[in-house]
Amino acid sequence: MIRGSALPAFGLLALLLAGCSSLVPETQKKLEAVDPVSQDISDLVLTLDLPAGVQPVPETTQLSVNFTVAGQPARQVDAKLVLADPGDLAETLRPPATGRTYYFMAFSPADQKKLRDTQAWARSAGNASAAGGLSMAPRFCGTAPVDASKARFSVNVTLPGTAQASPLIRDEILANALALSGETALQPCA
């Protein structure tokens, strides 16, 4: 759990996603400026740019948000990312490169409600020490043989209050993401 300022919370999300080697500094700064207590983080959308044969595993990538208010027990929301309809976001992106596919992930409506309810609780406390902490580890599977030590992926994030995706992770080695999930090889998709 992170206590204190909410500013580094989304930076932690970025570090856990990429293992820190391919983060886009400008987007990391934007994430660090997001206040998960006062801004609606439930609308966050990730766009994964994956090589052919690689897919995200829906409902296994989880975002845990811890809210703390001085003098009260912390509240944690575990929200799973599900495949999502990109809506207007798809129109703002260039078409994927040959041999690549975009996957859009967002929170389910039920998890969006849990996040918003917990944010409302933290805001109603009227205590400036309320903070959100985030942790996340992506999960991927394969539909074909893929050399995870050579395959690369990117992640864009659409931040609260924006309509355009910003690059978060650029050209990361897939094996690094697998290692964050405790895996050494890409598992077959079910």
Side-chain angles (χ1 to χ4, degrees), residues 134-151:
L134 309 171
S135 63
M136 182 176 175
R139 302 291 303 254
F140 298 106
C141 66
T143 59
V146 174
D147 184 346
S149 67
K150 293 181 182 173

Side-chain angles (χ1 to χ4, degrees), residues 57-158:
V57 180
E59 299 187 40
T60 61
T61 299
Q62 180 171 290
L63 177 72
S64 296
V65 185
N66 296 300
F67 292 93
T68 59
V69 174
Q72 297 188 36
R75 293 190 184 180
Q76 179 171 319
V77 177
D78 295 321
K80 293 189 187 295
L81 290 168
V82 297
L83 292 176
D85 177 355
D88 295 336
L89 176 61
E91 296 173 14
T92 67
L93 300 172
R94 293 181 306 205
T98 302
R100 302 195 64 84
T101 303
Y102 290 147
Y103 291 91
F104 299 90
M105 299 192 80
F107 299 116
S108 70
D111 284 343
Q112 285 179 329
K113 181 178 178 349
K114 285 193 299 189
L115 280 165
R116 288 180 180 134
D117 289 350
T118 305
Q119 287 176 298
W121 164 79
R123 284 191 298 270
S124 71
N127 187 327
S129 68
L134 309 171
S135 63
M136 182 176 175
R139 302 291 303 254
F140 298 106
C141 66
T143 59
V146 174
D147 184 346
S149 67
K150 293 181 182 173
R152 295 186 173 268
F153 73 99
S154 296
V155 177
N156 290 325
V157 61
T158 304

Side-chain angles (χ1 to χ4, degrees), residues 47-50 100 152-156 169-172:
T47 305
L48 287 73
D49 178 356
L50 300 177
R100 302 195 64 84
R152 295 186 173 268
F153 73 99
S154 296
V155 177
N156 290 325
I169 299 167
R170 190 177 291 140
D171 206 28
E172 178 64 45

Side-chain angles (χ1 to χ4, degrees), residues 9 12 17 24 31 33 40 46 58-59 61 70 76 79 113 116 138 144 150 152 155-156 159 168 173-174 181 187 190:
L12 178 61
L17 271 170
V24 176
L31 283 168
D40 187 2
L46 295 178
E59 299 187 40
T61 299
Q76 179 171 319
K113 181 178 178 349
R116 288 180 180 134
K150 293 181 182 173
R152 295 186 173 268
V155 177
N156 290 325
L159 300 171
L168 175 61
I173 297 171
L174 184 61
S181 299
Q187 301 299 312

